[in-house]
Amino acid sequence: MAGLTGRMSTVVKAKVSKLLDRAEDPAETLDYSYQKQVEQLQNVKKGIADVVTAKKRLQMQETTLKQSVVKLDTQARQALSSGQEDLARTALERKNVAQTELQGLDTQVTELEDQQQKLTDSEKKLRAKIESFRTKKEVIKAQYSAAEAQVRISEAATGVGEQMADVGLAMQRAVDKTENMKARADAVSELEAAGTFDDITALGSGEDDIDKQLKELSSSSAVDDDLAKMRAEIGAGDGGGAPAGEIAAPSETAQTPPAEGQS
Amino acid sequence: MIVRISGEDQYRLADSDAVRLNELENEVVAIVESGQEDGFADVYRTLLDYVRAQGTRVGDDEIETSEVILPPSDLTFAEAGREFTGEGLIPD
């Protein structure tokens, strides 16, 4: 190659060539690798489906968290208007944590969506390449038996071999990617499930991880701000203001024992 | 000459493009060898963009051997590093 001494491409090319040198029976190798390609494509498709499932699970958790945020906000108002400021503060702290988690989830879902789109695109491209490989291999196999064309064909066969190796590599990477994404989504999902909080009535006597997190947050100005804002709103709303509509039975709700499904 | 970007396409480039291609590739190698990831993604993208811009895509129905094979566009810095120590994209 005229002046091209790039080490990177040389190394990559040397490796691809080495792969091809191993082929003993070209016809058999071509058929076999076509089979492998078709199988791998199935794996890519399955991988994408897994990613979609994982994404849906995260989206469901998003919905739950959003409901929690609304619920905790309502509970904070109820607690505050019934004079239970500590309870209101706890609810707001939880709301704050839920909102932060929600942002994190949102980033994850967006990222998954983006990656899913890329993978779907490359799956389409790979499918087209495999189809063209299928046609090509038949041509090569037919030519291969004609001894006089041997030299020309071995070059052509190398070209096909190179493409075959490349499709294989691309599919392996696609499969690896779907596995990574699924693993990451699953990890986030588990983390969320473990830290799910429903509402303040579910507060137990023992101190769990969330409580510890909340304590760290309790000095946070965000909660103070929320509290102040809420206090002002409730104050302004006194005497038949808007928030009254959201508060069905303030003191009662705040002291309701844990309902079923809450731990 | 024909350049393949792994996992993407083959491109037909003028032989005279080899000089610039080589420079860009050496820049990538230099960054990888320095062990500092800064700038890796940009330089690598520049290299691939050069191939895409200067070259004409080889049709899917053509059977050609590449003179140059470049790693995939999503090559990570860590993978690029391993590429030179024998544990690259395609194992020995």
Side-chain angles (χ1 to χ4, degrees):
Chain A
M1 194 52 258
L4 208 98
T5 57
R7 270 177 51 201
M8 179 170 59
S9 49
T10 310
V11 172
V12 175
K13 187 164 163 55
K15 285 179 177 175
V16 170
S17 307
K18 218 192 268 179
L19 273 184
L20 306 175
D21 285 345
R22 291 187 198 132
E24 281 169 21
D25 181 343
E28 202 178 285
T29 307
L30 289 170
D31 282 340
Y32 177 71
S33 61
Y34 173 69
Q35 284 303 325
K36 291 300 272 185
Q37 287 179 8
V38 172
E39 279 173 34
Q40 271 289 69
L41 190 66
Q42 291 308 315
N43 289 338
V44 175
K45 280 186 190 164
K46 192 187 164 297
I48 295 174
D50 286 347
V51 168
V52 172
T53 310
K55 188 189 74 184
K56 280 191 183 145
R57 197 157 59 231
L58 288 188
Q59 283 172 325
M60 274 164 66
Q61 284 175 323
E62 258 191 315
T63 310
T64 312
L65 266 180
K66 276 181 192 157
Q67 288 165 351
S68 289
V69 168
V70 174
K71 195 169 185 179
L72 287 164
D73 188 81
T74 309
Q75 287 178 324
R77 278 175 201 281
Q78 290 169 343
L80 198 60
S81 49
S82 65
Q84 292 174 286
E85 186 168 332
D86 277 357
L87 206 54
R89 179 176 287 273
T90 307
L92 283 176
E93 283 161 354
R94 293 208 157 198
K95 182 188 152 193
N96 222 295
V97 175
Q99 273 172 327
T100 311
E101 303 254 336
L102 204 52
Q103 279 168 10
L105 267 185
D106 200 48
T107 312
Q108 289 284 342
V109 170
T110 311
E111 209 172 291
L112 277 177
E113 227 146 47
D114 186 46
Q115 300 254 29
Q116 179 199 331
Q117 187 54 49
K118 278 188 193 150
L119 281 165
T120 309
D121 289 347
S122 60
E123 188 261 331
K124 254 185 226 155
K125 199 166 183 176
L126 284 168
R127 204 185 326 138
K129 282 197 174 174
I130 292 169
E131 182 50 31
S132 109
F133 177 79
R134 189 184 66 83
T135 325
K136 259 185 261 177
K137 85 177 164 66
E138 292 309 319
V139 175
I140 303 245
K141 273 161 67 184
Q143 287 175 337
Y144 204 78
S145 46
E148 67 274 13
Q150 203 83 342
V151 178
R152 196 170 56 81
I153 280 143
S154 83
E155 257 173 43
T158 312
V160 167
E162 181 190 310
Q163 196 149 26
M164 167 188 105
D166 195 57
V167 170
L169 175 68
M171 281 201 284
Q172 189 52 56
R173 281 177 84 79
V175 170
D176 288 351
K177 239 179 230 173
T178 57
E179 278 168 8
N180 279 340
M181 282 161 58
K182 186 181 173 293
R184 250 179 44 198
D186 285 351
V188 172
S189 186
E190 270 168 40
L191 210 69
E192 282 303 323
T196 299
F197 15 57
D198 222 341
D199 59 287
I200 48 170
T201 57
L203 266 176
S205 51
E207 192 176 84
D208 57 12
D209 278 353
I210 298 161
D211 288 320
K212 279 180 207 137
Q213 278 185 52
L214 287 172
K215 282 214 164 140
E216 286 166 28
L217 270 176
S218 60
S219 61
S220 103
S221 56
V223 171
D224 287 335
D225 289 351
D226 279 354
L227 207 55
K229 210 172 118 193
M230 203 169 264
R231 204 179 282 128
E233 279 172 19
I234 288 173
D238 268 350
E246 290 172 36
I247 306 164
S251 54
E252 188 189 308
T253 310
Q255 286 154 15
T256 300
E260 56 176 312
Q262 294 166 344
S263 53
Chain B
M1 69 177 163
I2 291 177
V3 179
R4 177 188 289 278
I5 299 176
S6 289
E8 201 173 307
D9 282 307
Q10 285 177 297
Y11 295 88
R12 198 172 266 117
L13 276 82
D15 282 350
S16 55
D17 287 329
V19 181
R20 180 69 185 133
L21 198 60
N22 206 16
E23 280 172 13
L24 288 168
E25 194 178 323
N26 287 338
E27 273 182 53
V28 175
V29 174
I31 291 179
V32 171
E33 289 193 329
S34 76
Q36 300 295 313
E37 193 171 345
D38 292 352
F40 169 77
D42 286 341
V43 175
Y44 193 56
R45 197 181 312 116
T46 309
L47 168 67
L48 298 186
D49 282 347
Y50 182 79
V51 174
R52 294 182 191 117
Q54 297 297 118
T56 318
R57 204 175 77 82
V58 174
D60 282 338
D61 51 348
E62 286 183 70
I63 300 169
E64 300 287 352
T65 309
S66 311
E67 272 92 355
V68 178
I69 301 177
L70 296 171
S73 58
D74 59 357
L75 181 80
T76 64
F77 182 70
E79 283 175 327
R82 287 197 293 273
E83 196 61 34
F84 302 119
T85 57
E87 284 299 313
L89 297 168
I90 302 160
D92 280 325

